[in-house]
Amino acid sequence: MTVTANLDKLLDKKFEDLDLHALPNAPVDALAGVSKADAEALAKAFNVKTIGDLGRNPYIKAAVSITSLADATN
């Protein structure tokens, strides 16, 4: 099954043409709005260096889960 998604607004320009399966290995600052300084802070605080590290981080996952549950019960 082929999945197509336009991720241009989520990524910095130089990463827009990267294959979806390569994106988890891209540096976290490939995300639009995440600066090099932000990426360095994430690496220092949570050992997050890639988009995959960020998406799989247990603290991020917990925050997303809690927020989703709270939003769903409003």
Side-chain angles (χ1 to χ4, degrees), residues 20-69:
L20 177 63
H21 294 94
L23 285 172
N25 296 318
V28 73
D29 61 329
L31 294 168
V34 178
S35 69
K36 290 277 186 198
D38 295 335
E40 290 171 7
L42 285 167
K44 184 176 179 180
F46 299 108
N47 197 32
V48 167
K49 297 175 184 147
T50 67
I51 292 173
D53 292 341
L54 184 64
R56 294 180 187 104
N57 181 279
Y59 301 110
I60 300 295
K61 290 170 75 172
V64 169
S65 296
I66 290 165
T67 303
S68 296
L69 288 169

Side-chain angles (χ1 to χ4, degrees), residues 8-31:
D8 292 357
K9 292 185 179 187
L10 300 177
L11 300 169
D12 278 349
K13 195 79 165 159
K14 66 182 179 179
F15 294 94
E16 288 177 358
D17 293 327
L18 207 58
D19 179 74
L20 177 63
H21 294 94
L23 285 172
N25 296 318
V28 73
D29 61 329
L31 294 168

